[in-house]
Structures are given as structure tokens and as C-alpha cells.
């Protein structure tokens, strides 16, 4: 029997990371000590109060029934309370939807609003789900918005062809470039979306992973954003809970209602016990400042960041100390796939920039989700590989 993939699956671009992942697996199978600086999954554990709360909530038999497509009322209340404390933004219950991680919402929002041929403005480079899981799997057309280093990795709105554009994705603090933005940029983004009747999908998954007193804003802090925007958040990075699959979308009521319509036909909300744990996690914020454990978490990450960037610069690479995320976007001086493969030969896994889009070429994303000793060892290996290439 032969089963043919649907056309939309055939339209997905080749998975450029597959080759790298294959070599990584081979190296591991050969017993090679591979230092993985390639995935956006924190090595640090969730705070203990979360694992304790999880045990407690799982043990309660009442927490094992179906939830609602929109999420538990208690969870949605905790999200609106958090928005008030963290961003001074008021949200009503119909402006919050629980997600099985923000990736799910990013993919499903397009199902609710994108018709075949509708155009979706997607940053290049970017987290691949905007183009693939969201746009292409909903038969939309990807219109890349180039992010250039000289523009601080922000799109030039004036240069964008808005014809038939129905949706736009923006993500700051950014994966993979680690770029951040200020309120002025967000104001321009909201104006652009409103002027052109474009749904603005703002991915704020890294808002809480920040350094040097940088405070990541919410798009909903901008006047008028509620008319056009949906913002995605996640507990994955903030609370080191990537595997627990809990996130949320907030914003414009029609966008929330559309997303809920799709979700009600696909899932039944995140597990109740996870939502109850998430309430406890969000409630640790007393105001806009992060709670103590998060300050400690970010301090650990910041020390790693400093070690990684300082060493890379000493070796001769060009990269900035990011003030958010756990990524360093390094100018790798040429073919990013060749760079990544060369480092795999010395037991270091990094992500080639080309995997995030054509304009990611020439860069590599290096993640600091490993202890300092491992990062130091990885830098030694990178240095060795680099010196070898000079011979
Ligand atoms: C920019 C960005 N958005 C969203 C996600 C998805 O996170 P989750 O589905 O775990 O909430 C990720 C994960 O790496 C990401 O990098």
C-alpha cells in the first residue's frame, strides 16, 4: 500500500537540523562526550515548590478529569492577575486561553484565521514554527521579513509588501538572535498592524529570562494593541517546565474566540493538575519584579552567558552579550552548516543559523543551557577547532 502525504506536508521545507541531529546521535552512540549547546531546553530544574506542588496536585483524584478548551477558570484568573502585576495590563476572562505550551497556540491561531493563499509575515531568521507549523500547515503563504544585524534584528516595516497579508509574527526577546526591543518598536508594530488590518501575533516566551536589569515589555502595554494583537507566553522557560506543556495566549477577544473554536475541536485543555501548579507558579510574582528563585536562575544563566561570550570574543568571534534569552548568536564567518559540523567533530553541538531561515546564514546559535564547566570545556574545544582551521 502507498499512502501519499497531503500537499501541505509536502510543502514543508526540508528539516535542516536533521543532518546535524543524525551526526549527534552517531557521536553519542560511539560514546563520544558531546557537549550540547544546541537546544533551547534549560538544564536547570524547576524550582522545588513546583515539583512539590505537582506531587500534591497529581495525587488529587479530582484533578484527572477533562479541563476546558479555554482552560480552568482558576488558571485564567491567575494569568490575568499576573498580567496586572507584571505588565499593568488588565485582562478579562475572555481574553485568556490556556495552551499546551505556546507552540500549540502559535500553530493553532493560523488554523482559525488563515485561508489558503493568505499571506503571513514571518521573520527571517525565526523560530521555525511560525512558517511551518502555523503558516504552511494552514495552506498560507510565508512572506519573509528580513531581520538584519544592522537593524538590531528588527523588521523594516516600511519595506514590507502588505498585499494580502493577514497575519504577522514577531518574537522579542528573540530566538535565535537574542535581540530585544523597546516600547517605541512595539508602538510601530501595533501601528503597522492596525494600518494594514493585520493580526499581530507576538511571541513573548522569553520575557522573564532577562539580564542586566532589562525588562521585556508586553505588546499589550501599547495603547490600541488589544484591537489587533494576541500574545503568547509559556511557563516552559520561566519556570524550567518545558516538558510540562503549559502556556497561554492573551489579547484581542475575537482572536481568543477563534483560537478557542479550533482548540475545542482538537484538545480539551492542559491537564488540570498542571494548570493548578501553574497557578502556584504565577502567584509567586508579588509585583513586576521576578520572584527570588527566578532572579537566582537568571543570575546563573548570566554567569554562563558572560563566560561564553567573553571566551568566544577572545577566540576571535563576534557576538554580543544578550540581555535576554539563553542564546548567543555568533557570526561564524561563513557557512553555518560547515561550522556546526566542524564543531561536532570536536564534540560540541551548536545550531547552524541557516536552519532558522536564509538570513540566518553566516551565524550559529549557541545555547548556554549547560553548567559553566561544560561551557568552558566547549569553548576549549571550539578554540582547538578554530586553531586547527588556521593551520
Ligand atoms: C520563540 C519561541 N516561542 C515558543 C516556543 C515554544 O515553547 P513552548 O511550546 O514550550 O511554550 C519556543 C521554544 O523553544 C521558542 O523558542
Amino acid at each position: 500500500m502507498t499512502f501519499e502525504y497531503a500537499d501541505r506536508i509536502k510543502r514543508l521545507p526540508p528539516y535542516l537540523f536533521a543532518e546535524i541531529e543524525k551526526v549527534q546521535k552517531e557521536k553519542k552512540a560511539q560514546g563520544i562526550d558531546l557537549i550540547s549547546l544546541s537546544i533551547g531546553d534549560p538544564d536547570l530544574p524547576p524550582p522545588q515548590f513546583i515539583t512539590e506542588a505537582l506531587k500534591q496536585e497529581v495525587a488529587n483524584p479530582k484533578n484527572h478529569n477533562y479541563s476546558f478548551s479555554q482552560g480552568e477558570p482558576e488558571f485564567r484568573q491567575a494569568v490575568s492577575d499576573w498580567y496586572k502585576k507584571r505588565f499593568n495590563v488588565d485582562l478579562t476572562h475572555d481574553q485568556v486561553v490556556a495552551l499546551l505550551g505556546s507552540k500549540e497556540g502559535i500553530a493553532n491561531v493560523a488554523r482559525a484565521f488563515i485561508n489558503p493563499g493568505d499571506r503571513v509575515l514571518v521573520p527571517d531568521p525565526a523560530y521555525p514554527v511560525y512558517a511551518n507549523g502555523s503558516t504552511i500547515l494552514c495552506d498560507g503563504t510565508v512572506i519573509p521579513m528580513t531581520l538584519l544585524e544592522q537593524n538590531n534584528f528588527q523588521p523594516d516595516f516600511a519595506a514590507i509588501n502588505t498585499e494580502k497579508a493577514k497575519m504577522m509574527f514577531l518574537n522579542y526577546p528573540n530566538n535565535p538572535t537574542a535581540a530585544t526591543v523597546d516600547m517605541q518598536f512595539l508602538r510601530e508594530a501595533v501601528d503597522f498592524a492596525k494600518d494594514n488590518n493585520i493580526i499581530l501575533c507576538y511571541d513573548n516566551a522569553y520575557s522573564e529570562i532577562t539580564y542586566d536589569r532589562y525588562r521585556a515589555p508586553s505588546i499589550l502595554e501599547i495603547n490600541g494593541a488589544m484591537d489587533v494583537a494576541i500574545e503568547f507566553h509559556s511557563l516552559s522557560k520561566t519556570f524550567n517546565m518545558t516538558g510540562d506543556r503549559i502556556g497561554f495566549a492573551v489579547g484581542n477577544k475575537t482572536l481568543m474566540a477563534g483560537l478557542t473554536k479550533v482548540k475545542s475541536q482538537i484538545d480539551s485543555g492542559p491537564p488540570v493538575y498542571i494548570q493548578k501548579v501553574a497557578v502556584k507558579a504565577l502567584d509567586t510574582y508579588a509585583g513586576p519584579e521576578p520572584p527570588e528563585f527566578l532572579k537566582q536562575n537568571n543570575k546563573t544563566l548570566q554567569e554562563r552567558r558572560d563566560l561564553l561570550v567573553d571566551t568566544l570574543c577572545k577566540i576571535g568571534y563576534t557576538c554580543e552579550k544578550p540581555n535576554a534569552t539563553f542564546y548567543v548568536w555568533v557570526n561564524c564567518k561563513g557557512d553555518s552548516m560547515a561550522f556546526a559540523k566542524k564543531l561536532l567533530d570536536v564534540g560540541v553541538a551548536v545550531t547552524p543559523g541557516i536552519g532558522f531561515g536564509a538570513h540566518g546564514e553566516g551565524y550559529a546559535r549557541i545555547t548556554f543551557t549547560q553548567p559553566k564547566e561544560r561551557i568552558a570545556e566547549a569553548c576549549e574545544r571550539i578554540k582547538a577547532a578554530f586553531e586547527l582551521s588556521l593551520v
Side-chain angles (χ1 to χ4, degrees), residues 87-162:
F87 300 112
N88 199 24
V89 167
D90 291 298
L91 294 172
T92 53
H93 263 204
D94 45 4
Q95 290 173 323
V96 183
V97 175
L99 299 173
L100 297 151
S102 56
K103 183 181 193 176
E104 176 260 301
I106 290 165
N108 277 331
V109 70
R111 274 206 169 76
F113 296 98
I114 294 303
N115 283 318
D118 281 344
R119 294 182 173 184
V120 180
L121 305 174
V122 175
D124 174 6
Y127 179 54
V129 180
Y130 313 135
N132 301 343
S134 191
T135 310
I136 294 178
L137 289 186
C138 292
D139 299 321
T141 302
V142 175
I143 305 294
M145 298 188 291
T146 309
L147 305 188
L148 297 175
E149 190 162 357
Q150 62 262 34
N151 297 339
N152 299 321
F153 299 108
Q154 295 170 10
D156 175 3
F157 292 121
I160 294 169
N161 177 357
T162 54

Side-chain angles (χ1 to χ4, degrees), residues 72-83 85 93 275 278-280 282-283:
E72 295 292 300
E74 188 187 341
F75 173 71
R76 284 156 52 218
Q77 183 60 49
V79 170
S80 25
D81 292 346
W82 185 71
Y83 255 77
K85 285 182 281 189
H93 263 204
Q275 295 188 60
V279 169
K280 290 182 181 163
L282 292 171
D283 281 354

Side-chain angles (χ1 to χ4, degrees), residues 319-370:
C319 54
E320 302 264 330
K321 277 185 188 162
N323 53 15
T325 79
F326 32 63
Y327 304 118
V328 171
W329 189 237
V330 191
N331 182 329
C332 66
K333 308 175 187 176
D335 184 320
S336 62
M337 191 61 95
F339 178 78
K341 282 188 183 160
K342 188 171 172 66
L343 292 188
L344 270 181
D345 286 340
V346 293
V348 179
V350 303
T351 313
I354 185 73
F356 299 100
H359 287 88
E361 186 51 307
Y363 295 89
R365 191 192 72 178
I366 307 187
T367 308
F368 40 99
T369 50
Q370 290 285 331

Side-chain angles (χ1 to χ4, degrees), residues 199-217:
I199 297 167
L200 200 176
C201 300
Y202 193 78
D203 181 354
N204 214 345
Y206 294 91
S207 69
E208 306 312 289
I209 308 298
T210 59
Y211 316 109
D212 305 320
R213 302 205 63 76
Y214 174 73
R215 175 194 169 280

Side-chain angles (χ1 to χ4, degrees), residues 178 180 207-216 289-290 294-295 297-307 309-310 320-325 327 368:
T180 52
S207 69
E208 306 312 289
I209 308 298
T210 59
Y211 316 109
D212 305 320
R213 302 205 63 76
Y214 174 73
R215 175 194 169 280
E289 285 293 310
L294 190 51
K295 283 187 187 156
N297 191 79
N298 288 351
K299 189 168 168 270
T300 304
L301 290 173
Q302 183 165 348
E303 285 170 11
R304 295 169 174 190
R305 174 201 73 170
D306 292 348
L307 173 70
V309 174
D310 289 344
E320 302 264 330
K321 277 185 188 162
N323 53 15
T325 79
Y327 304 118
F368 40 99

Side-chain angles (χ1 to χ4, degrees), residues 40-41 100-106 126-127 129-130 171-176 203-206 232-237 241-243 245-248 326-327 365:
D41 196 354
L100 297 151
S102 56
K103 183 181 193 176
E104 176 260 301
I106 290 165
Y127 179 54
V129 180
Y130 313 135
N171 160 230
Y172 297 98
N174 185 260
N175 174 18
D203 181 354
N204 214 345
Y206 294 91
F232 295 98
H233 267 281
S234 173
L235 279 83
S236 289
K237 321 284 172 172
M241 291 172 73
T242 50
R245 311 313 299 136
I246 180 81
F248 49 94
F326 32 63
Y327 304 118
R365 191 192 72 178

Side-chain angles (χ1 to χ4, degrees), residues 25-38:
K25 272 192 202 134
E26 283 165 10
K27 300 263 175 205
K28 276 192 187 153
Q30 289 160 15
I32 290 170
D33 169 38
L34 190 72
I35 305 175
S36 176
L37 305 181
S38 61

